[in-house]
Amino acid sequence: VKSEGPKLVPFFKATCVYFVLWLPTSSPSWFSALIKCLPIFCLWVFLLAHGINFLVAHRSASRILAGLIFSAVGDAFLIWQEQGYFIHGLLMFAITHILYSSAFGMKPLDLKAGLLMGLVSSSCYAFLYSYLSGPFTYLVAVYIALIGFMGWRAVAGMQLYNDLWTWTKLSACIGAMLFMVSDLTIAVNKFCFPVPYSRVIIMATYYAAQMLIALSAVESRDEEDFKKRS
């Protein structure tokens, strides 16, 4: 934490700038898009600070970086969601979840965690279903399946029962859960009914999720440092 914390200072500052400026969503602009995406840009820098060789050598880290890039594009699209770009943002974040799932890997499988995440995802879609219409009926279903799968792979990596967990796996797990909370709040607020303080909930959980998932990418570096010290 001591070694990674200073690299995250720009991210925390950029997040503070977003919440301090609190630009109105009713008047989207490239400036508001920049302010919204700035914390994610800082997470790009956080991963790049570990070195290009590190990213090339560890595909999980490079996939998380790619996911952050697609996230920033999705954030920009969502600035103009009322102008018809919501589906574009949805697609960008769907790709992000595929990349994150790939980064987390398929080992260990942990079918119990998969069943649990499947039940949670199904329950969320069942709740939203009656409010959906047109293409969103199946687009939201696919999106929920993808983020639920991503959540499964993050939870499966924890392995709490046999003491094989690490702080980076814990951050991936918590990050995935916060991402699901953020996206569920977006869906309920957009399709069902207004959620009090929805923007604060959505963005606070979203930024925290992205930071934790970015932190999970440094696990390979931790393992290398441990081997060197040994």
Side-chain angles (χ1 to χ4, degrees):
V1 174
K2 289 181 179 179
S3 63
E4 301 301 333
K7 299 187 186 80
L8 287 170
V9 170
F11 165 79
F12 289 120
K13 289 183 177 180
T15 301
C16 288
V17 168
Y18 173 83
F19 283 106
V20 168
L21 291 181
W22 204 242
L23 298 170
T25 56
S26 58
S27 54
S29 66
W30 284 108
F31 179 70
S32 60
L34 173 63
I35 296 302
K36 184 182 181 185
C37 295
L38 193 57
I40 306 303
F41 294 158
C42 291
L43 292 178
W44 296 4
V45 175
F46 167 74
L47 289 180
L48 289 169
H50 290 83
I52 298 297
N53 291 336
F54 171 74
L55 293 172
V56 171
H58 300 92
R59 287 189 291 179
S60 61
S62 60
R63 287 169 185 171
I64 287 176
L65 176 60
L68 288 168
I69 293 172
F70 277 99
S71 293
V73 178
D75 281 331
F77 276 130
L78 291 181
I79 287 287
W80 285 277
Q81 60 178 292
E82 298 304 324
Q83 285 71 39
Y85 288 96
F86 181 79
I87 292 179
H88 298 73
L90 196 70
L91 175 61
M92 293 299 102
F93 279 105
I95 295 172
T96 294
H97 296 317
I98 293 172
L99 288 165
Y100 286 170
S101 299
S102 177
F104 298 149
M106 290 301 297
K107 294 180 180 180
L109 193 59
D110 198 348
L111 292 177
K112 289 182 180 179
L115 178 60
L116 176 61
M117 294 306 301
L119 290 172
V120 170
S121 299
S122 299
S123 299
C124 291
Y125 183 69
F127 173 77
L128 294 169
Y129 180 77
S130 60
Y131 296 96
L132 302 173
S133 60
F136 285 113
T137 303
Y138 58 85
L139 288 176
V140 171
V142 172
Y143 187 86
I144 289 177
L146 289 174
I147 194 171
F149 185 83
M150 186 270 290
W152 169 31
R153 298 321 311 148
V155 172
M158 280 289 295
Q159 300 186 75
L160 287 173
Y161 53 86
N162 54 14
D163 295 328
L164 292 178
W165 69 278
T166 63
W167 71 269
T168 47
K169 289 179 179 177
L170 177 63
S171 68
C173 180
I174 297 174
M177 296 302 102
L178 288 175
F179 217 135
M180 294 179 73
V181 170
S182 179
D183 281 357
L184 180 60
T185 306
I186 290 175
V188 172
N189 190 66
K190 182 175 181 64
F191 299 113
C192 305
F193 48 80
V195 177
Y197 308 106
S198 60
R199 189 177 171 193
V200 174
I201 297 170
I202 290 166
M203 297 311 298
T205 52
Y206 170 69
Y207 286 141
Q210 293 283 41
M211 179 196 70
L212 290 167
I213 290 173
L215 270 173
S216 73
V218 304
E219 180 160 17
S220 297
R221 170 62 62 87
D222 290 345
E223 290 172 355
E224 288 177 353
D225 291 343
F226 177 78
K227 289 176 182 177
K228 288 177 182 178
R229 288 196 298 269
S230 301

